[in-house]
Amino acid sequence: MQRVLATLSYDGARFHGYQRQPHDRSVQGEVEKALATIHKATSWPSTSSGRTDAGVHGIRQPVHFDTPLTIPEDRWPKALNSLLPDDIYVHTCRHVPQSFHARYDAVGKEYIYRLTTAKEYNVFKRHYICHNDRTLNMAAMQAAASQFIGTHDFTSFSSPKTDVVDKVRTIYLIDIAKEGDDWTFRFIGSGFLYQMVRVLMGTLLEVGSGTRQRDEIETIMAEKNRALAGKTAPAHGLYLSQVFYDEQILADYVKKFQ
Amino acid sequence: MQRVLATLSYDGARFHGYQRQPHDRSVQGEVEKALATIHKATSWPSTSSGRTDAGVHGIRQPVHFDTPLTIPEDRWPKALNSLLPDDIYVHTCRHVPQSFHARYDAVGKEYIYRLTTAKEYNVFKRHYICHNDRTLNMAAMQAAASQFIGTHDFTSFSSPKTDVVDKVRTIYLIDIAKEGDDWTFRFIGSGFLYQMVRVLMGTLLEVGSGTRQRDEIETIMAEKNRALAGKTAPAHGLYLSQVFYDEQILADYVKKFQ
């Protein structure tokens, strides 16, 4: 068997999340349906770097699968794309050792949150950027974000609906950029808990719009109580941007924004 | 009765075109449903500047309707938007005289066609920009486009499926702009026949990719035969951008691109 690592993008708008579900449309379900067809099987397993919620998008989601077929790695994208629906696209495939694991070998992940403070609603961006009515204070959000950097217990900033016990994660970078009315929030960390980026975002937005103080973060973190943090920001502004498997590449990438 | 002129945008992806249809979802159908609710009626008529096909988008589509209600003009957008689905948005409403007509009073229209020659398919833009695999020659397309400018019989460059007899229209401007891999084709004219912008686009693309000569246009025009022109370009790259009701404003706008 040959292990293949695929990187795919998907528009999360019409999926009930990444993970396969018995009745609802999922990214994993569509990918495995295509793999099953190629392998002339009734089902074919795949393993992604992680899940994303309904509405959340993927820019470069890594997924590995094993195959007995001798298809050259550069032919895999075309084979898969010809079978996938138009809201999933395989960008690259490459052969990896059997020891490689898309989830366990990840050393870092980048998420991007897109937000606009444009006055008018834009029908063409409604699934791709979160609309925020309030004026945002960049400096206040940057000050709050700096308190998330480093290794912390993020219990207060993630959904309690999880079996994960260890809530300690390391955030390497939160970069906030603005172009006109459109904001890009970039989160790079060792890994993120369930809904963690959306809770961090929701909390930053409350700081940015002045309904929460920038110096509250440390206290909230220490309390380990989800109820104290901000609202979970809407899913449709969130993108799993990329996953890192090499510490040096990750470190070099983070440096670009520092 | 007060006549109100609304300008609305819509994402054409999930509509079977602008025009109301008995069973399929249409922009007009949704707008009139909202108007009927506001007027506590079973239906309420509206008149747009024209129709757009399934998949074609609207950036600023003018629509007029009459109302016995004394709602101030700046309150209408909020009232309508609260009832409209998320892929239609009313930007402005203003009171106009009973003599005003959204279709008959139009003196010009602007359509925009978006196209990308990016190598990779982008799932997030699949409904909003037409993907073109071939390299395009800007100069060849500009030379071909210049032959469309002016007053001509556009029988060869529009769908024969129409009751319209007079196929003479005036094109004031075709502007081609490129930013990275993304192209914007701007068409401004007195009016456009059924599928005319898409046939002009399809023909320009054939010239741009070298499968048709730039000097064929005049001959095709003279033949008045749709079969001689290029393929109809896909609907999802096309946007009704704006409609002009004032000759001077139209002339000033056209000058900006000359």
Side-chain angles (χ1 to χ4, degrees):
Chain A
M1 293 285 259
Q2 174 63 55
R3 184 153 291 188
V4 177
L5 174 64
T7 54
L8 48 95
S9 59
Y10 51 89
D11 175 346
R14 296 185 57 236
F15 292 109
H16 290 254
Y18 184 86
Q19 196 178 21
R20 189 180 46 235
Q21 300 192 14
H23 305 295
D24 291 322
R25 192 168 180 267
S26 68
V27 180
Q28 186 181 9
E30 295 295 329
V31 168
E32 296 187 355
K33 212 189 292 177
L35 285 170
T37 302
I38 290 174
H39 291 94
K40 297 183 173 65
T42 50
S43 68
W44 203 265
S46 70
T47 304
S48 71
S49 73
R51 307 165 191 174
T52 50
D53 274 351
V56 176
H57 311 289
I59 296 177
R60 289 292 185 278
Q61 166 78 279
V63 180
H64 82 247
F65 59 90
D66 291 326
T67 182
L69 302 174
T70 55
I71 299 175
E73 51 186 4
D74 60 343
R75 293 284 184 87
W76 271 106
K78 206 171 181 177
L80 284 163
N81 287 326
S82 70
L83 295 165
L84 286 167
D86 69 355
D87 46 359
I88 304 180
Y89 184 79
V90 177
H91 292 271
T92 58
C93 285
R94 59 187 184 87
H95 290 161
V96 288
Q98 273 292 332
S99 59
F100 176 87
H101 195 283
R103 185 160 76 253
Y104 302 146
D105 289 358
V107 295
K109 287 184 183 179
E110 178 187 53
Y111 277 91
I112 283 171
Y113 199 93
R114 293 195 210 280
L115 184 127
T116 183
T117 47
K119 272 187 193 144
E120 290 210 305
Y121 173 77
N122 185 327
V123 291
F124 305 108
K125 295 182 176 173
R126 71 192 188 285
H127 295 311
Y128 309 109
I129 191 160
C130 178
H131 197 271
N132 197 71
D133 282 333
R134 293 178 159 180
T135 309
L136 295 174
N137 181 332
M138 168 83 92
M141 290 192 291
Q142 283 169 331
S146 70
Q147 297 170 67
F148 292 127
I149 305 301
T151 304
H152 304 283
D153 185 310
F154 284 97
T155 304
S156 296
F157 298 97
S158 59
S159 168
K161 293 177 198 155
T162 174
D163 298 329
V164 175
V165 178
D166 179 12
K167 304 283 182 88
V168 175
R169 294 292 182 276
T170 301
I171 295 187
Y172 302 116
L173 180 102
I174 300 178
D175 181 73
I176 309 175
K178 186 173 183 284
E179 209 182 305
D181 293 322
D182 294 348
W183 299 68
T184 302
F185 294 74
R186 190 180 301 273
F187 299 82
I188 306 176
S190 61
F192 294 89
L193 297 159
Y194 184 46
Q195 295 196 337
M196 179 169 152
V197 183
R198 291 168 60 191
V199 179
L200 294 175
M201 257 319 291
T203 307
L204 289 180
L205 290 178
E206 290 177 15
V207 171
S209 56
T211 59
R212 185 181 290 274
Q213 296 306 308
R214 63 185 82 179
D215 49 16
E216 281 177 51
I217 307 296
E218 268 187 63
T219 320
I220 300 170
M221 193 118 64
E223 292 285 336
K224 299 183 188 175
N225 179 356
R226 167 67 186 92
L228 300 178
K231 282 188 192 158
T232 306
H236 68 276
L238 185 61
Y239 296 72
L240 168 63
S241 169
Q242 57 179 323
V243 177
F244 295 91
Y245 293 99
D246 182 294
E247 295 279 7
Q248 192 56 52
I249 292 172
L250 169 62
D252 290 345
Y253 185 77
V254 168
K255 260 185 216 146
K256 281 195 216 171
F257 297 94
Q258 282 167 337
Chain B
M1 292 285 259
Q2 174 63 56
R3 184 154 289 187
V4 177
L5 174 64
T7 54
L8 47 95
S9 59
Y10 52 88
D11 175 346
R14 295 185 57 238
F15 291 108
H16 290 256
Y18 184 85
Q19 195 177 25
R20 190 180 45 236
Q21 301 192 12
H23 305 295
D24 292 324
R25 192 169 180 266
S26 68
V27 181
Q28 184 182 9
E30 295 296 330
V31 168
E32 297 187 354
K33 213 190 291 176
L35 286 170
T37 302
I38 290 174
H39 291 94
K40 299 183 173 61
T42 50
S43 70
W44 204 266
S46 70
T47 304
S48 71
S49 72
R51 307 163 190 175
T52 52
D53 275 350
V56 176
H57 310 289
I59 297 175
R60 290 290 185 277
Q61 166 78 278
V63 180
H64 82 246
F65 60 90
D66 292 325
T67 182
L69 302 174
T70 56
I71 300 176
E73 51 187 6
D74 59 344
R75 293 283 184 87
W76 271 105
K78 205 170 184 179
L80 285 162
N81 288 326
S82 70
L83 295 166
L84 285 167
D86 70 355
D87 47 0
I88 304 179
Y89 184 77
V90 176
H91 292 271
T92 57
C93 285
R94 59 187 183 85
H95 289 161
V96 288
Q98 272 292 333
S99 58
F100 177 86
H101 194 283
R103 186 160 77 252
Y104 302 147
D105 288 358
V107 295
K109 287 184 182 179
E110 178 186 55
Y111 278 91
I112 283 171
Y113 199 93
R114 293 195 210 280
L115 184 127
T116 185
T117 47
K119 272 186 192 148
E120 290 210 305
Y121 173 74
N122 185 328
V123 291
F124 305 109
K125 294 182 177 174
R126 72 192 187 285
H127 294 311
Y128 309 109
I129 192 161
C130 178
H131 197 270
N132 196 72
D133 282 333
R134 293 179 158 178
T135 309
L136 295 174
N137 180 331
M138 168 84 93
M141 290 192 291
Q142 283 169 332
S146 70
Q147 297 170 67
F148 291 127
I149 305 302
T151 304
H152 303 284
D153 185 309
F154 285 97
T155 303
S156 296
F157 299 97
S158 59
S159 170
K161 292 177 198 154
T162 174
D163 298 329
V164 174
V165 178
D166 179 12
K167 303 284 184 84
V168 175
R169 294 292 182 275
T170 302
I171 294 187
Y172 302 117
L173 180 101
I174 300 177
D175 181 73
I176 309 175
K178 186 174 183 282
E179 209 181 307
D181 293 323
D182 294 348
W183 299 66
T184 302
F185 294 74
R186 190 180 301 273
F187 298 82
I188 305 176
S190 61
F192 294 89
L193 297 159
Y194 184 47
Q195 295 195 336
M196 179 169 152
V197 182
R198 291 168 60 190
V199 179
L200 294 176
M201 256 320 290
T203 308
L204 289 180
L205 290 177
E206 290 177 15
V207 171
S209 56
T211 58
R212 185 181 289 275
Q213 296 305 307
R214 64 185 81 179
D215 49 15
E216 280 178 52
I217 307 296
E218 268 187 63
T219 321
I220 300 169
M221 192 117 63
E223 293 284 337
K224 298 182 189 176
N225 178 356
R226 166 67 187 93
L228 300 177
K231 280 187 193 159
T232 306
H236 68 276
L238 185 60
Y239 297 72
L240 168 63
S241 170
Q242 57 179 325
V243 177
F244 295 91
Y245 294 100
D246 182 295
E247 296 278 8
Q248 191 57 52
I249 292 173
L250 169 61
D252 291 346
Y253 184 78
V254 168
K255 260 185 217 147
K256 281 196 216 170
F257 297 95
Q258 282 167 336

